Amino acid sequence: MDIFIDPDSTSGLANQIFEEIREGILDGRVGPGERLPSSRELAASLGVSRHTVTTAFQRLSAEGFIEGRRGGGTLVSDLSSLRAPGSPSEPILDRSGRDQGVAPALDLRPGTPDPRLFPTADWKRYARWAVDQHVATYGDPAGVADLRRVLSRWVARSRGVDASFRQLIVTSGAQQAFYLLIRACTEPGDVIAMEDPGYNRFRSMAEATGVEVVPIPVDSEGLVVDAIPPSVKLVHVTPSHQFPTGVTMSMARRLELLSMAHSRGALIVEDDYDSEFRYVDRPLEPLYRLDRSGSVAYVATFSKTLSPALRLGYVVVPLSLHEQVLEVRRQIDWAPSQVDQLTLRGYIADGHLESHLRRTRRVYMGRQHRMAAFLERAAAQGVLRPAASNAGLHISARLSPTLDEADIMTRLADRGVAIEGYAEYSSIRPAVGGLVFGFGLVDSEQLEEALRIVADVIGVDD
Ligand SMILES: Cc1ncc(COP(=O)(O)O)c(C=O)c1O
């Protein structure tokens, strides 16, 4: 079991160790009878004093989570009698990703951050505070004003997006922002464009609103702007880290896209879903910053930085569209839970998101480097052609033409490794297949095991 502590957190070290182990026991990552590392080992691996670990162990023991054994060793107790009636036996932040069902043993599917890294203790503190505010009205359909102020400062600092909080609307994740924008500026039958391969959930949701979704190819510079039909009303694009290929859109293409949108009166929906995880260079600035004609809506989410379970994101809307978007908002769910919005507000305003990102970036960077080294080796052996990717929670790779994507995925699934392929994200059938290697859900040990199986299945000497 991996334990993560944040030396910058205001929640003491012993408390963090207590919470991490307690969560691990409650969500079944460590089972009854399993042995915990000794206080000496754990103190050494976490870089804290032994006294700190002993304090955490004493509390776990007092609350019945662990028990000492004669002859040494600390074991996890059998909790079946301790669980509160009706308490979930499955973790709420479950590691099966988006889909319901049994989690595969080794999950290389992209898109979900590691629930083991969720800042449970801090989040609980702010959630408790938020509940105490006794909010009892529908509130503002754009979202809690205080949160929007905090978010407008956050997006200015982290991404250089300079926007008044009045332009910002809090949404239930990026997906809802896409929905609001489509409904606000299209009619059924209108043409909208998206990258191919691209974010499949955008396509299925857009089609459900009655618009025609035209797939636009992606090359080494990103979206091929020339291929966008003249009648387009809205373009969905992931310029900073194309999903799923990982390509960064070139400056020439950015300018071309902005000029196309301006001349045709189309809206660009900039999906900046994972720029917070950048491991080498600085990310290119968002399209939003280059836009001089109010053609870009900038969408961000907390699904990667914190958890998709929160369903929280936001959109910076061109002022000309603001009222139309809010009108759709009022027609559907009004606004996300104010308790959750207030929790997020406190968490970011007190600087926790920044320290959480520092901590998680380090963890993901280790996994990203390991994954990249494996893919380079596979490339040197002519088996895969990985995309240059220095960001996010996945790396994509084209398969050599001799390998069949569906066959590889089935063989991996038979050995307990879940992964996604390009076919899932494409409506234009790709000439060669590809795999999307996510590393959000596997800890370093699981990653090693998964890569051993992948190497075996695709024939790579790692
Ligand atoms: C490219 C891309 N955009 C948007 C999203 C949606 O995020 P949310 O959970 O905020 O709806 C995802 C989620 O996986 C994604 O991969």
Side-chain angles (χ1 to χ4, degrees):
M1 175 188 168
D2 287 334
I3 294 178
F4 300 100
I5 53 169
D6 179 1
D8 301 329
S9 169
T10 48
S11 155
L13 292 172
N15 189 47
Q16 289 182 59
I17 296 169
F18 166 80
E19 290 279 359
E20 287 271 303
I21 297 177
R22 177 180 168 282
E23 296 292 326
I25 294 172
L26 284 177
D27 70 21
R29 276 178 283 129
V30 274
E34 262 184 67
R35 198 187 165 103
L36 292 182
S38 71
S39 55
R40 191 188 305 277
E41 285 162 355
L42 194 54
S45 73
L46 295 175
V48 299
S49 75
R50 197 166 164 208
H51 173 71
T52 302
V53 176
T54 317
T55 307
F57 277 13
Q58 277 165 351
R59 205 170 141 204
L60 286 162
S61 169
E63 296 193 17
F65 289 104
I66 59 174
E67 50 206 58
R69 236 226 328 237
R70 220 176 308 146
T74 305
L75 305 186
V76 174
S77 312
D78 180 359
L79 285 187
S80 38
S81 57
L82 259 181
R83 270 205 184 98
S87 68
S89 54
E90 290 295 318
I92 304 295
L93 293 162
D94 85 84
R95 62 179 298 277
S96 61
R98 309 183 182 93
D99 305 321
Q100 299 300 314
V102 181
L106 299 165
D107 201 341
L108 294 185
R109 288 175 298 178
T112 311
D114 197 330
R116 292 163 285 211
L117 300 178
F118 185 76
T120 307
D122 285 332
W123 195 261
K124 261 190 205 156
R125 211 146 33 84
Y126 289 99
R128 216 171 282 138
W129 172 82
V131 169
D132 284 343
Q133 304 311 300
H134 301 295
V135 278
T137 62
Y138 279 94
D140 189 331
V144 170
D146 257 6
L147 170 61
R148 289 187 288 128
R149 284 194 187 88
V150 165
L151 290 176
S152 87
R153 285 196 291 274
W154 168 256
V155 72
R157 215 171 50 244
S158 63
R159 298 293 282 129
V161 168
D162 223 344
S164 148
F165 79 97
R166 292 191 181 79
Q167 272 175 271
L168 202 144
I169 297 176
V170 183
T171 59
S172 297
Q175 184 78 349
Q176 189 184 53
F178 306 150
Y179 177 79
L180 294 173
L181 294 166
I182 291 175
R183 286 278 317 279
C185 61
T186 68
E187 303 278 340
D190 280 350
V191 169
I192 73 173
M194 69 173 283
E195 300 157 325
D196 198 289
Y199 183 48
N200 51 356
R201 279 166 194 259
F202 176 87
R203 181 173 53 230
S204 50
M205 179 274 290
E207 281 172 350
T209 70
V211 296
E212 184 192 342
V213 182
V214 179
I216 309 293
V218 171
D219 66 14
S220 59
E221 288 191 65
L223 185 76
V224 179
V225 177
D226 270 354
I228 297 176
S231 57
V232 74
K233 287 275 172 35
L234 180 150
V235 183
H236 173 266
V237 66
T238 46
S240 299
H241 189 227
Q242 202 275 330
F243 187 86
T245 65
V247 172
T248 304
M249 194 181 215
S250 70
M251 188 51 82
R253 285 283 170 80
R254 286 167 191 245
L255 298 174
E256 202 186 332
L257 180 61
L258 286 167
S259 142
M260 184 284 300
H262 180 47
S263 63
R264 296 181 196 166
L267 178 73
I268 301 170
V269 177
E270 175 171 26
D271 178 0
D272 202 24
Y273 64 106
D274 70 355
S275 296
E276 295 84 356
F277 297 116
R278 191 88 200 169
Y279 306 115
V280 182
D281 43 349
R282 277 178 63 79
L284 275 186
E285 55 184 4
L287 275 175
Y288 183 90
R289 267 175 69 87
L290 298 171
D291 176 30
R292 298 284 172 269
S293 60
S295 304
V296 178
Y298 174 88
V299 177
T301 177
F302 291 98
S303 287
K304 318 286 163 182
T305 46
L306 287 167
S307 166
L310 300 175
R311 307 310 305 134
L312 284 169
Y314 57 96
V315 52
V316 178
V317 186
L319 278 175
S320 59
L321 263 184
H322 191 260
E323 188 42 43
Q324 281 144 275
V325 172
L326 273 193
E327 188 45 36
V328 183
R329 189 56 196 271
R330 289 185 200 102
Q331 288 164 7
I332 54 168
D333 63 343
W334 200 268
S337 148
Q338 288 177 71
V339 172
D340 295 342
Q341 292 187 61
L342 286 171
T343 307
L344 183 63
R345 183 215 156 269
Y347 183 79
I348 300 178
D350 287 353
H352 293 292
L353 183 57
E354 226 148 353
S355 50
H356 175 69
L357 283 174
R358 270 201 303 277
R359 179 170 77 113
T360 49
R361 226 179 259 131
R362 274 201 303 272
V363 176
Y364 292 132
M365 184 151 70
R367 298 182 195 172
Q368 201 266 358
H369 285 356
R370 175 64 184 108
M371 187 72 97
F374 171 80
L375 295 176
E376 267 163 39
R377 251 188 303 282
Q381 294 168 42
V383 181
L384 295 176
R385 210 149 38 84
S389 176
N390 287 317
L393 300 177
H394 71 273
I395 310 181
S396 295
R398 294 259 177 215
L399 291 167
S400 93
T402 55
L403 294 175
D404 178 70
E405 181 184 307
D407 172 57
I408 301 278
M409 286 175 61
T410 311
R411 280 163 57 207
L412 287 173
D414 288 345
R415 295 184 58 183
V417 177
I419 196 163
E420 281 178 1
Y422 274 23
E424 171 132 10
Y425 298 109
S426 314
S427 23
I428 309 168
R429 189 112 210 108
V432 286
L435 295 175
V436 187
F437 292 87
F439 47 83
L441 287 168
V442 276
D443 65 21
S444 46
E445 255 170 63
Q446 293 166 325
L447 179 57
E448 284 310 317
E449 168 140 28
L451 292 183
R452 201 177 45 69
I453 297 171
V454 174
D456 198 29
V457 167
I458 64 176
V460 167
D461 196 5
D462 185 22

